[in-house]
Amino acid sequence: MPTINIKKKYLFKLLGKKIPESVLLDRISMMGTALEGETKDELVIELFPNRPDMLSVEGFARGLSCFMGIRRNPPSYSIKKSGLKVKIDPSVKKVRPFIKCGLVKNVNLKDEAIKSLMQVQEKLHQTHGRKRKRVAIGVHDFDKMKFPLLYKAVPPDSCSFVPLGDRRRLTLEQILKKSQKGQQYAWILEEAKNYPLLVDADENVMSFPPVINGELTAVTEKTRNIFVDVTGTDELAVGQALTIIVTTLADMGGKIYSVRTGNQLTPNLAPSKIPVKLNYVNSLLGLSLKKSALKRLLAKMGLGYNGKNAIIPAYRVDMIHPIDVVEDIAIAYGYENFEPVLPTISTIGEESKSEVFYRHVSEIMAGLGFLETSTFHLASYSDIKTKMNHKISYVEIANSVSSEYYILRPWLLPLQIKILAENKTREFPHRIFEIGTIFLPDAGEETKILERKSIAVAIADKASDFTKIKQVLDVIMSALRVKYSMAESDHPSFIPGRAASVLINGKKAGYIGELSPAVLSNWQLETPVCCMELDIDAIRAIAQKQG
Amino acid sequence: MNTAEIIDGLHAYERKTLSALKDTSNFDEIVSKTGLKEVQVMRAVQWLQNKGLVTIKEELKELVIPDSNGKLYLRQRLPERRFLEAIKEGPLTVSALKSKIKLSDQEVEVCIGILRKKLAIEISKKPKGLEFSITGNGKEILESGSLEEQFLNRLPLEFLSMGREDRFCYDEMKKRSRIVKNEMVKTRTVLLTELGSEIAGYDLTKDNLETLTPEIIKSGSWQFKKFRRYDVKAPVPKIYYGRRHFVNETIDYIKRIWLDLGFKEMEGNLIQSSFWNFDALFTPQDHPARELQDTFFISNPDKAKLSDENLVKRVAKTHENGWTTGSKGWRYHWDPEEARKLVLRTHTTPLSAKTIASLKQEDLPAKFFAVGRCFRNETQDWSHLFEFYQVEGIIVDPNANFKNLIGYLKLFYRKMGYDKVKIRPGYFPYTEMSAEIDVYDKEHGKWMELGGAGIFRPEVVKPLLGRDIPVLAWGLGLSRIISQYYGLNDLRKLHSNDLKELREVRAWLK
């Protein structure tokens, strides 16, 4: 989850007053943000991804100020028309179709403000902008630009300019290869034939989105008038990012001006309305709030209320359903103020039948002196195949961060043998078992994978042999009243002539035997091991049928 | 305990050892005197020490012992003796000598040197080569044995307390190849204490009953004998019991809590389609959680079937424009291919989604729970595992509200032993209200983040159930509670299966 850094002094300046530390920290966590860390001068705040408007220090302070009742009314932003134009060439449709621009004049970027502007851009890029692919933001020194601007797509080698922070004049292609930002974001343009470009009336490059701006319009602490361009692949997200940036700049003292971008007037800061029904709120929250209380609570969240609808400022992009308003009311009411209530409805508890059965079998095993183990479902190729000397098809993971664990176990026994191999220094005999899920490719399933429960049992001991493990099989089956038979098996993990398939109603439901010395050596085991794996669901089907 | 009781408690080994101790304190001698095996005497001595009858002194001593050739010569006798014996009957030449006794050239040379020095032989030159004849000295040596022979026979000797003569022999032997060597040896001396001497003075030959056998019971012979008294305080060898895995014991307890509260258990697959893991839970298709670094995707096979077409349509529309839920939706194009991708479930919530989809009007109100494994694609370390547990619960009830959610959560954590619970706002794409739950860890004096909860969004409930009613839901972490209870400082220990730890871990007692 994204975090932002805030200088305490700057926060208090934005709030208009100093707040005692303990109060501040408590309010931050109850507002729906979290304190991630703290130094003497600075707070690190964790934000939930639904509130990109709080990714700017100004936006965060705006929310906190309302929540703490310092600001009584939700902020409102007026827009003047600038009369400026940004033309959109149809060539951008294929590469980065959307652009929305705005102008904010008379901004004071001194001290913390410019850092805050850089931070909100960066954080919006990472989260809301999906690493600039969905949305990229450029801010420019308005006084260096000649209107109208043109947003177009051009061949990579057709144009060159001095990118921000550089002295060299580079073509678009060179920028992607040679500059640090270029290398970082080249993947977004990987499949593009032409690259998006924002140029001014003199053909000077303002921006090469989503990669980098031109050096010409670089913003410094002294810049007063700021032009904002937001481009992207998702029109809604582009507009939301522009709203968040211009309102942040307005909170730094600026005045917002609209720009005609294509055939739209941007930014559009018109608030939206969401209907709020009092009984909906009260029944969901278990409260009995009146309209007056609603108005007061909504104001704490920076929202207006007209007796019917909540008035939602444009930057509150998370509000898409009346339920979102209900949550804001709950947060304003204070989660800590809801008393716990247990409903009086009566329902009957019921454990899953299969879980009851697995537990019953586990208890039989424990009664026989076996230790239950608990392993991972992810296994390694060498454990389930090579070391067991067995060929078996399996389900594979596409993107495991672990180079070792990328297979979903198709049988359970190897994981038990692994445990024996890791416990050679522990006192013998080793008697272990596990009941767990195995995964088998099966086109008939909705997921094309069959998940079955298996029980694996292993005994490692000087005196372990076929009889020892068959006794365990016998006692389980007779305890559960399940009839079974045995058939000789040539399972490659076992000693020939000492391996068998376990059959229930003539169908294979497991195998049992003495592990072959070759397999034992693969695991570097020096003690004989007898073991079995059974399809516990097949056993269950018979056992539970008898009731 | 009085003397009589002590004597009654003596094991047969102890009795024999005590008797032997009257004559010797040397461990090896005790062994030979009692006729017991070394381990048996060792055990007896240890028991006697526990009872305060003997003290055991262990000393490290440097001993001189026969080396490999030394051992050989002890069997075959020293080469110089064999040399002398060969010429006892009359002089022999070198070649005659060599054919009579088997000595290497080197041994013959050594013998000549030694025997000349002792004036035991005379050497004369003959046409066939050198000829050796025995002297008077030589005969005497054969009669009474050489100093070296006597020395070798007396080994082992303590190196530091050897006399001058022994020292001389030692030095001579040392010059020759591998006849003697020095070795550090632990020697045990067993001394009777005052009480031990007293006990040893009694008649210890009386035969007390050891093991009670069926024969003794049947014959009634026990009536005429005494049972040996056992030392009931003596430690006994460890045995182990079969038992459930501690994680599963904890899970059983948690299941019991929800069952007692009237919840039904849900089950389901660990592999889910993205549809059930994400889309049905209103998680947008470009949500960061769906990216490769967080979620395990299955590559073979890679896509699920989506069998309920109508449900898929409702979910698609809800994502795109809110359908009839009253929501604006995510306002993007929903891609069914993305939804078909198979994943290892990242939470237990798809079980809840599937359960809601299966409910009918007459099933309500209903409460469900599950405790199950979930997966996260990350590198394992002490605080991260790629498999973890979640405790899932839902209450589907037209009359449920946020206060009920808080009520159930607080009750659950109280039963888990946490009295202080903090519920604060959180965020999940599929709940609104969303809450984070912190519990106060008394032991460490700090708050722990333990889980998420909320009320499912109408965008989740309506496409699944057909109408929008409150569904209270939670997905709570378990690993931290378990590791805290069992005092584990590394989450990997939950599944490390060290048999010693599994045998000895404390039981879940709540």
Side-chain angles (χ1 to χ4, degrees):
Chain A
M1 289 217 231
T3 58
I4 57 168
N5 292 42
I6 302 181
K7 284 271 189 303
K8 287 179 191 169
K9 226 170 122 186
Y10 187 55
L11 178 63
F12 294 144
K13 188 181 145 197
L14 290 168
L15 290 175
K17 71 194 260 196
K18 206 166 179 249
I19 314 288
E21 197 99 327
S22 59
V23 176
L24 185 67
L25 301 187
D26 172 67
R27 290 295 84 195
I28 286 173
S29 84
M30 296 314 288
M31 179 173 68
T33 49
L35 184 77
E36 173 83 9
E38 187 192 3
T39 61
K40 207 171 132 253
D41 316 320
E42 205 173 44
L43 298 172
V44 184
I45 307 287
E46 186 183 71
L47 292 155
F48 297 123
N50 61 329
R51 290 296 299 269
D53 59 306
M54 289 216 209
L55 288 173
S56 80
V57 177
E58 289 72 16
F60 174 77
R62 192 192 302 144
L64 189 61
S65 173
C66 291
F67 187 63
M68 296 186 67
I70 300 169
R71 185 204 280 266
R72 295 281 166 171
N73 294 306
S76 66
Y77 300 94
S78 61
I79 306 185
K80 282 189 182 164
K81 283 186 183 165
S82 71
L84 301 170
K85 275 184 187 164
V86 178
K87 289 188 249 173
I88 304 175
D89 189 88
S91 58
V92 297
K93 267 191 191 147
K94 276 188 187 161
V95 50
R96 200 168 177 82
F98 303 106
I99 182 166
K100 290 178 195 283
C101 302
L103 172 63
V104 187
K105 285 188 176 174
N106 234 350
V107 181
N108 182 358
L109 281 185
K110 292 223 172 84
D111 301 326
E112 286 301 310
I114 189 155
K115 274 192 221 158
S116 171
L117 178 60
M118 297 299 135
Q119 175 167 272
V120 63
Q121 267 193 84
E122 172 58 24
K123 300 291 175 179
L124 279 172
H125 280 153
Q126 287 307 313
T127 57
H128 186 72
R130 306 283 192 266
K131 302 195 175 80
R132 295 197 189 185
K133 184 178 197 304
R134 186 161 81 150
V135 170
I137 303 156
V139 293
H140 308 272
D141 184 345
F142 170 71
D143 299 332
K144 307 264 171 68
M145 309 168 79
K146 287 230 176 81
F147 282 79
L149 305 188
L150 175 64
Y151 180 51
K152 60 179 179 180
V154 299
D157 55 356
S158 68
C159 161
S160 66
F161 69 102
V162 182
L164 187 64
D166 214 320
R167 264 182 248 151
R168 301 169 294 177
R169 195 176 175 88
L170 302 170
T171 66
L172 305 186
E173 205 171 9
Q174 287 168 328
I175 287 173
L176 293 192
K177 283 189 185 130
K178 289 184 181 166
S179 78
Q180 187 236 334
K181 289 276 178 224
Q183 288 165 0
Q184 197 178 343
Y185 295 105
W187 63 276
I188 301 172
L189 296 173
E190 226 164 41
E191 283 163 19
K193 272 196 197 127
N194 292 327
Y195 293 168
L197 207 63
L198 181 65
V199 297
D200 76 354
D202 288 348
E203 279 288 318
N204 285 319
V205 175
M206 309 285 98
S207 172
F208 168 26
V211 182
I212 198 158
N213 285 350
E215 173 69 16
L216 180 69
T217 55
V219 169
T220 70
E221 225 176 88
K222 290 180 190 133
T223 310
R224 302 285 290 171
N225 302 322
I226 296 174
F227 183 84
V228 185
D229 80 84
V230 183
T231 59
T233 54
D234 176 336
E235 187 175 8
L236 182 69
V238 167
Q240 290 170 340
L242 179 65
T243 304
I244 289 164
I245 294 289
V246 298
T247 49
T248 293
L249 289 168
D251 284 357
M252 295 176 182
K255 180 83 196 90
I256 304 171
Y257 290 80
S258 66
V259 174
R260 182 157 293 279
T261 316
N263 53 14
Q264 293 178 345
L265 213 52
T266 60
N268 178 4
L269 298 186
S272 57
K273 286 180 191 165
I274 291 183
V276 188
K277 286 189 186 128
L278 209 51
N279 60 352
Y280 182 62
V281 175
N282 282 330
S283 73
L284 267 175
L285 298 182
L287 299 175
S288 42
L289 300 171
K290 301 209 167 68
K291 282 192 172 179
S292 55
L294 225 54
K295 188 175 171 70
R296 182 174 52 79
L297 293 171
L298 286 170
K300 276 181 82 173
M301 302 309 286
L303 307 176
Y305 182 59
N306 65 7
K308 247 180 156 180
N309 297 299
I311 315 296
I312 317 291
Y315 54 82
R316 282 300 300 274
V317 303
D318 59 313
M319 293 280 174
I320 60 173
H321 188 281
I323 194 72
D324 295 303
V325 180
V326 179
E327 184 184 66
D328 268 32
I329 293 167
I331 293 172
Y333 184 83
Y335 276 22
E336 70 277 28
N337 298 321
F338 285 89
E339 76 246 41
V341 174
L342 285 181
T344 50
I345 55 158
S346 120
T347 53
I348 294 164
E350 193 182 309
E351 192 173 8
S352 117
K353 285 222 167 60
S354 52
E355 290 295 321
V356 174
F357 184 77
Y358 304 146
R359 199 180 57 240
H360 185 62
V361 175
S362 301
E363 278 158 12
I364 294 176
M365 294 308 297
L368 288 167
F370 283 82
L371 274 181
E372 188 184 28
T373 63
S374 179
T375 57
F376 291 124
H377 296 83
L378 268 62
S380 79
Y381 183 88
S382 93
D383 287 352
I384 64 152
K385 288 191 84 163
T386 325
K387 285 186 183 162
M388 295 305 290
N389 199 15
H390 188 33
K391 289 198 175 71
I392 187 167
S393 51
Y394 55 83
V395 175
E396 203 172 321
I397 287 166
N399 61 326
S400 178
V401 290
S402 158
S403 55
E404 196 185 347
Y405 298 98
Y406 62 92
I407 287 172
L408 287 161
R409 59 192 189 196
W411 58 325
L412 200 50
L413 204 50
L415 290 100
Q416 303 307 303
I417 308 305
K418 187 176 190 157
I419 292 171
L420 298 177
E422 286 168 350
N423 280 278
K424 285 194 292 188
T425 60
R426 300 303 182 208
E427 214 170 306
F428 284 94
H430 296 165
R431 296 161 68 82
I432 57 173
F433 80 100
E434 182 176 14
I435 296 174
T437 304
I438 57 168
F439 304 82
L440 304 165
D442 184 338
E445 295 289 309
E446 183 160 317
T447 54
K448 298 177 194 157
I449 294 157
L450 177 65
E451 293 183 25
R452 288 290 272 195
K453 289 272 185 175
S454 222
I455 177 170
V457 184
I459 305 173
D461 188 26
K462 276 187 297 206
S464 80
D465 60 17
F466 193 83
T467 305
K468 293 270 171 7
I469 192 71
K470 196 178 170 188
Q471 285 174 319
V472 178
L473 173 66
D474 253 356
V475 81
I476 294 175
M477 294 303 210
S478 67
L480 300 169
R481 305 286 187 272
V482 173
K483 289 199 185 93
Y484 74 99
S485 59
M486 304 274 266
E488 277 181 16
S489 158
D490 55 1
H491 195 298
S493 301
F494 300 100
I495 298 173
R498 298 188 184 183
S501 296
V502 178
L503 309 175
I504 295 176
N505 284 341
K507 270 177 79 181
K508 257 193 202 173
Y511 33 85
I512 177 170
E514 288 180 25
L515 278 192
S516 84
V519 169
L520 292 174
S521 303
N522 290 343
W523 290 98
Q524 294 181 324
L525 275 164
E526 288 129 18
T527 312
V529 173
C530 58
C531 52
M532 65 175 169
E533 175 159 350
L534 304 172
D535 181 344
I536 195 169
D537 283 335
I539 300 172
R540 181 169 71 87
I542 307 287
Q544 287 187 335
K545 213 192 287 171
Q546 302 157 347
Chain B
M1 228 190 285
N2 60 36
T3 352
E5 280 175 342
I6 295 175
I7 293 170
D8 282 348
L10 291 175
H11 189 272
Y13 299 164
E14 291 175 294
R15 288 165 185 268
K16 286 185 178 167
T17 303
L18 272 180
S19 302
L21 275 168
K22 284 191 280 188
D23 305 323
T24 178
S25 60
N26 180 287
F27 186 84
D28 295 329
E29 283 177 36
I30 300 170
V31 173
S32 63
K33 265 187 192 283
T34 52
L36 294 172
K37 287 180 189 154
E38 199 177 314
V39 282
Q40 293 169 333
V41 176
M42 199 59 233
R43 278 161 72 190
V45 163
Q46 237 136 35
W47 295 334
L48 289 168
Q49 190 187 29
N50 292 343
K51 293 173 186 169
L53 300 185
V54 302
T55 54
I56 305 170
K57 253 174 45 192
E58 289 193 338
E59 271 181 321
L60 263 184
K61 281 186 185 165
E62 187 172 7
L63 292 185
V64 179
I65 60 168
D67 202 349
S68 52
N69 283 337
K71 284 180 192 158
L72 186 74
Y73 296 155
L74 273 170
R75 285 203 306 276
Q76 298 181 346
R77 291 161 304 145
L78 281 169
E80 54 264 39
R81 166 171 282 270
R82 288 155 64 202
F83 192 110
L84 283 179
E85 280 184 345
I87 57 172
K88 191 167 71 178
E89 308 299 332
L92 288 173
T93 59
V94 175
S95 51
L97 184 82
K98 276 187 185 164
S99 65
K100 193 163 179 187
I101 50 172
K102 274 179 197 153
L103 286 180
S104 68
D105 290 352
Q106 198 204 344
E107 282 174 320
V108 169
E109 245 166 68
V110 171
C111 286
I112 295 170
I114 291 170
L115 294 172
R116 273 180 71 180
K117 217 162 128 193
K118 295 191 173 188
L119 305 174
I121 52 169
E122 268 174 12
I123 307 170
S124 47
K125 258 189 178 165
K126 290 281 156 70
K128 284 180 186 170
L130 296 177
E131 193 183 78
F132 306 98
S133 53
I134 193 162
T135 65
N137 264 357
K139 282 180 182 156
E140 197 173 315
I141 288 172
L142 273 182
E143 191 84 7
S144 53
S146 69
L147 282 177
E148 287 89 341
E149 273 178 305
Q150 290 166 14
F151 174 76
L152 204 55
N153 280 323
R154 289 216 319 282
L155 290 182
L157 290 169
E158 203 184 327
F159 182 66
L160 291 174
S161 53
M162 282 192 306
R164 256 169 69 189
E165 215 166 67
D166 285 341
R167 190 70 198 214
F168 168 79
C169 292
Y170 172 82
D171 289 340
E172 285 299 308
M173 292 298 201
K174 257 318 208 201
K175 286 178 198 157
R176 297 166 64 177
S177 167
R178 280 178 298 170
I179 298 187
V180 293
K181 66 177 175 187
N182 291 24
E183 197 175 73
M184 299 304 292
V185 177
K186 217 195 257 179
T187 62
R188 282 193 204 94
T189 322
V190 185
L191 297 168
L192 286 169
T193 60
E194 205 176 308
L195 180 62
S197 307
E198 190 194 334
I199 302 279
Y202 286 91
D203 175 15
L204 298 179
T205 55
K206 229 202 303 172
D207 182 19
N208 281 352
L209 279 177
E210 275 295 328
T211 314
L212 180 60
T213 62
E215 288 71 28
I216 296 173
I217 301 169
K218 272 186 254 166
S219 70
S221 64
W222 59 272
Q223 296 173 62
F224 313 106
K225 281 188 175 177
K226 263 190 172 173
F227 283 95
R228 176 171 73 79
R229 293 181 77 88
Y230 286 164
D231 176 5
V232 292
K233 291 176 189 159
V236 294
K238 257 200 170 139
I239 55 168
Y240 300 103
Y241 62 111
R243 58 188 296 193
R244 303 289 312 278
H245 192 276
F246 62 96
V247 170
N248 292 341
E249 269 189 13
T250 312
I251 290 174
D252 278 351
Y253 173 81
I254 290 169
K255 284 166 70 166
R256 185 53 53 201
I257 294 177
W258 295 115
L259 290 167
D260 289 350
L261 288 170
F263 284 70
K264 277 188 187 162
E265 187 172 15
M266 304 183 278
E267 356 165 47
N269 286 353
L270 299 172
I271 296 176
Q272 297 283 348
S273 61
S274 289
F275 179 81
W276 284 110
N277 195 73
F278 296 121
D279 294 283
L281 294 165
F282 199 54
T283 306
Q285 293 195 318
D286 68 345
H287 192 277
R290 299 176 75 149
E291 281 180 26
L292 293 173
Q293 60 264 38
D294 291 316
T295 303
F296 284 115
F297 285 88
I298 310 297
S299 64
N300 161 41
D302 61 343
K303 298 269 178 82
K305 302 174 201 164
L306 299 179
S307 45
D308 187 341
E309 274 176 44
N310 286 328
L311 173 63
V312 173
K313 252 185 224 161
R314 292 196 295 273
V315 168
K317 280 189 188 155
T318 306
H319 275 247
E320 289 184 341
N321 58 27
W323 184 48
T324 60
T325 63
S327 171
K328 293 178 185 169
W330 294 120
R331 289 159 283 173
Y332 66 1
H333 172 68
W334 187 85
D335 180 3
E337 286 310 299
E338 192 62 37
R340 287 179 55 215
K341 286 185 180 168
L342 286 170
V343 300
L344 275 169
R345 68 183 188 203
T346 59
H347 50 181
T348 37
T349 318
L351 302 184
S352 290
K354 285 187 164 171
T355 301
I356 295 170
S358 72
L359 286 176
K360 297 185 194 73
Q361 183 59 36
E362 59 268 28
D363 298 330
L364 304 183
K367 303 192 290 199
F368 298 92
F369 82 97
V371 187
R373 276 293 172 104
C374 304
F375 301 82
R376 182 166 42 206
N377 192 6
E378 65 186 358
T379 314
Q380 312 220 73
D381 60 34
W382 69 273
S383 63
H384 296 90
L385 293 184
F386 51 59
E387 299 191 17
F388 60 98
Y389 288 94
Q390 205 167 47
V391 179
E392 176 85 13
I394 50 170
I395 297 173
V396 191
D397 176 7
N399 298 313
N401 64 42
F402 192 52
K403 286 181 176 173
N404 303 147
L405 177 67
I406 294 175
Y408 275 109
L409 291 171
K410 289 202 166 165
L411 178 65
F412 172 70
Y413 281 113
R414 201 168 63 235
K415 286 182 181 252
M416 293 304 289
Y418 300 98
D419 296 330
K420 273 169 86 178
V421 178
K422 194 158 76 182
I423 314 244
R424 60 185 165 84
Y427 171 76
F428 306 100
Y430 40 94
T431 53
E432 194 84 8
M433 292 25 82
S434 299
E436 294 277 348
I437 303 141
D438 301 336
V439 302
Y440 192 70
D441 165 8
K442 280 174 274 186
E443 203 179 315
H444 300 96
K446 60 170 194 224
W447 291 92
M448 290 199 292
E449 236 180 87
L450 279 193
I455 301 181
F456 276 150
R457 297 187 65 98
E459 293 96 324
V460 174
V461 178
K462 197 171 179 190
L464 295 174
L465 190 65
R467 64 178 184 133
D468 173 26
I469 61 169
V471 177
L472 314 182
W474 50 88
L476 312 174
L478 197 50
S479 311
R480 291 173 81 174
I481 294 182
I482 297 179
S483 44
Q484 205 197 356
Y485 184 83
Y486 293 102
L488 308 178
N489 48 16
D490 185 334
L491 281 184
R492 286 171 294 195
K493 292 205 163 184
L494 295 176
H495 303 291
S496 63
N497 294 301
D498 180 327
L499 297 186
K500 184 174 191 298
E501 285 171 14
L502 290 186
R503 282 165 174 160
E504 292 173 0
V505 70
R506 69 187 282 206
W508 177 271
L509 298 172
K510 271 206 197 279

